[in-house]
């Protein structure tokens, strides 16, 4: 059976449990994708897996600004959560990938992450008796680039969450949605903050690219979306992330430069106090919000209410 030292602690149905990877053959394509997601066989030296940077206990994000790849190599961007991605358009902070299936080969091929390539992964899987059998049973064919990417994507598509205190409150169910969270929601939705202009819809993202002021060509040098489009209007723009489970996915921003939600709100309160000369900053962020201490606290309370109940202990 498949050999690895990693245990999986997140079930497809959302419950926590521990299983050894030496388990029964996967019954679905998503279960097969789950095995691949947590298997370091996907990296050049079999030292890291997708799950090394996208950890279940952090809503499939990481707890460090930049996650190490093979041989301890460090990239340049923060590992985002891969939960609630089933209905997202374009992947990565710069939108270089069209969908979850296309996304799979990028971290595998990145020399700072898994340092391999999808074709070599397929060769490896075909030499592995268990994977070869599992793909044949579930896909009717041996592992190939398309079905490997499909299996991983199906697992990622299963990681949807919608059971939060906010959702329960919205659905008139028993909840602990606090008065502070209600005030924070009102502020979040207000014309004053206009948070909802960027963070809207079921997952609190419009899948747009915005420049929030973290590009100045000096301290902040990542040009974001521009690196893909080469359109000067896209300099410093990054994809707006969803906010479900955001309380446990820090540190924040594309570079992980802010450790806490409080830090993020302080930044949005007045971006120019953090970056003296932001280039191409969005018009929504031109002026200070002049938030009080209580208002900042209320916004944090609302953002914490977007945490799926299975993760609530991680926010205390």
């Amino acid at each position: 059976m498949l050999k690895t030292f990693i245990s999986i602690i997140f079930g497809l149905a959302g419950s926590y449990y521990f299983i050894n990877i030496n388990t029964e053959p996967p019954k679905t394509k998503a279960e097969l994708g789950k095995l691949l997601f947590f298997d370091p066989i996907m990296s050049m030296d079999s030292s890291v897996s997708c799950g090394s940077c996208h950890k279940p206990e952090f809503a499939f994000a990481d707890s460090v600004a930049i996650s190490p790849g093979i041989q301890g190599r460090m990239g340049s961007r923060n590992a985002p959560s891969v939960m609630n991605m089933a209905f997202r358009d374009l992947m990565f902070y710069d939108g270089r990938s069209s969908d979850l299936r296309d996304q799979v080969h990028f971290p595998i091929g990145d020399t700072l992450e898994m340092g391999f390539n999808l074709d070599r992964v397929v060769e490896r899987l075909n030499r592995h008796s268990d994977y070869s059998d599992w793909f044949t049973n579930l896909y009717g064919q041996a592992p190939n680039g398309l079905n490997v990417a499909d299996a991983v994507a199906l697992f990622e598509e299963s990681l949807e969450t919608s059971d939060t205190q906010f959702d329960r409150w919205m659905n008139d169910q028993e909840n602990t949605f606090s008065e502070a969270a209600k005030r924070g929601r009102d502020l979040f939705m207000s014309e004053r903050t206009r948070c909802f202009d960027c963070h809207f819809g079921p997952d609190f993202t419009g899948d747009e690219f915005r420049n929030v002021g973290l590009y100045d060509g000096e301290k902040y040098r990542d040009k974001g979306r521009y690196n893909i489009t080469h359109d000067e209007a896209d300099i410093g723009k990054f994809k707006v992330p969803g906010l479900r489970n955001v309380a446990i996915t820090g540190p924040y921003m594309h570079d992980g430069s802010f450790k806490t939600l409080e830090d993020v709100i302080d930044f949005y309160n007045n971006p120019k106090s953090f970056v003296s000369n932001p280039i191409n900053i969005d018009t929504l962020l031109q002026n200070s919000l002049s938030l009080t201490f209580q208002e900042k606290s209320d916004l944090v309370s609302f953002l914490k209410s977007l945490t799926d109940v299975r993760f609530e202990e991680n926010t205390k």
Side-chain angles (χ1 to χ4, degrees):
M1 296 296 289
L2 183 61
K3 300 294 183 182
T4 185
F5 43 82
I6 293 178
S7 294
I8 298 173
I9 63 172
F10 193 86
L12 289 173
S15 59
Y16 283 91
Y17 60 96
F18 284 85
I19 63 172
N20 291 321
I21 203 79
N22 297 324
T23 186
E24 295 298 318
K27 296 180 176 62
T28 67
K29 294 175 181 178
E31 288 181 1
L32 176 56
K34 178 181 181 179
L35 293 176
L36 291 168
F37 189 92
F38 288 98
D39 193 342
I41 197 173
M42 304 279 276
S43 63
M44 179 185 69
D45 58 5
S46 296
S47 64
V48 298
S49 69
C50 304
S52 297
C53 302
H54 301 282
K55 300 171 181 174
E57 62 268 35
F58 302 118
F60 286 82
D62 206 349
S63 59
V64 296
I66 306 295
S67 305
I70 61 169
Q71 302 170 355
R73 299 173 186 174
M74 304 300 291
S76 59
R77 290 179 180 164
N78 178 255
S81 171
V82 296
M83 300 192 82
N84 302 294
M85 299 298 288
F87 305 105
R88 304 279 59 79
D89 294 327
L90 302 180
M91 302 293 143
F92 298 101
Y93 290 109
D94 54 21
R96 79 189 81 152
S97 176
S98 59
D99 55 42
L100 282 175
R101 283 153 185 81
D102 178 57
Q103 175 271 334
V104 171
H105 73 90
F106 283 96
I108 294 173
D110 193 314
T111 57
L112 301 178
E113 296 185 46
M114 304 174 89
F116 213 23
N117 66 66
L118 189 54
D119 289 339
R120 296 288 301 279
V121 169
V122 168
E123 291 175 7
R124 211 178 253 182
L125 296 176
N126 274 293
R127 292 196 301 268
H128 195 292
S129 59
D130 288 326
Y131 274 124
S132 180
D133 290 344
W134 294 339
F135 272 93
T136 300
N137 290 339
L138 291 170
Y139 281 94
Q141 57 186 329
N144 59 54
L146 291 177
N147 57 31
V148 168
D150 183 66
V152 174
L154 286 170
F155 169 61
E156 292 172 334
E157 288 171 354
S158 75
L159 303 177
E160 295 293 295
T161 61
S162 59
D163 188 13
T164 71
Q165 297 304 335
F166 171 73
D167 292 307
R168 292 181 178 187
W169 177 71
M170 288 288 288
N171 294 321
D172 295 322
Q173 298 173 339
E174 184 178 352
N175 64 82
T176 57
F177 195 63
S178 67
E179 291 302 316
K182 293 176 185 177
R183 293 193 300 268
R185 175 184 177 273
D186 290 342
L187 191 58
F188 185 93
M189 303 282 290
S190 71
E191 282 296 316
R192 178 181 167 199
T193 68
R194 301 184 70 177
C195 303
F196 199 66
D197 282 22
C198 297
H199 296 282
F200 56 89
D203 294 328
F204 296 89
T205 176
D207 286 315
E208 300 169 321
F209 295 88
R210 299 272 188 159
N211 183 329
V212 300
L214 289 179
Y215 176 75
D216 60 8
E218 296 179 7
K219 179 181 178 181
Y220 297 96
R221 299 182 180 183
D222 191 337
K223 293 184 178 181
R225 181 67 172 157
Y226 171 84
N227 294 331
I228 305 303
T229 66
H230 304 294
D231 182 343
E232 290 190 1
D234 287 335
I235 290 177
K237 289 185 178 181
F238 296 88
K239 188 175 181 183
V240 176
L243 296 181
R244 287 191 175 274
N245 306 310
V246 68
I248 59 170
T249 61
Y252 303 99
M253 305 302 193
H254 66 274
D255 58 356
S257 55
F258 297 139
K259 292 183 178 180
T260 67
L261 288 176
E262 288 81 0
D263 292 339
V264 173
I265 290 172
D266 281 340
F267 171 77
Y268 281 123
N269 188 42
N270 188 6
K272 292 182 180 180
S273 68
F274 284 78
V275 185
S276 59
N277 186 34
I279 298 172
N280 203 35
I281 187 172
D282 196 289
T283 55
L284 288 174
L285 299 168
Q286 294 288 349
N287 302 310
S288 171
L289 299 177
S290 300
L291 296 171
T292 67
F293 177 84
Q294 184 62 60
E295 287 172 330
K296 293 177 184 179
S297 178
D298 290 343
L299 280 170
V300 170
S301 294
F302 171 63
L303 293 173
K304 287 184 175 181
S305 79
L306 305 180
T307 305
D308 194 90
V309 294
R310 79 194 76 175
F311 296 125
E312 283 185 343
E313 285 299 315
N314 295 8
T315 66
K316 297 178 181 178

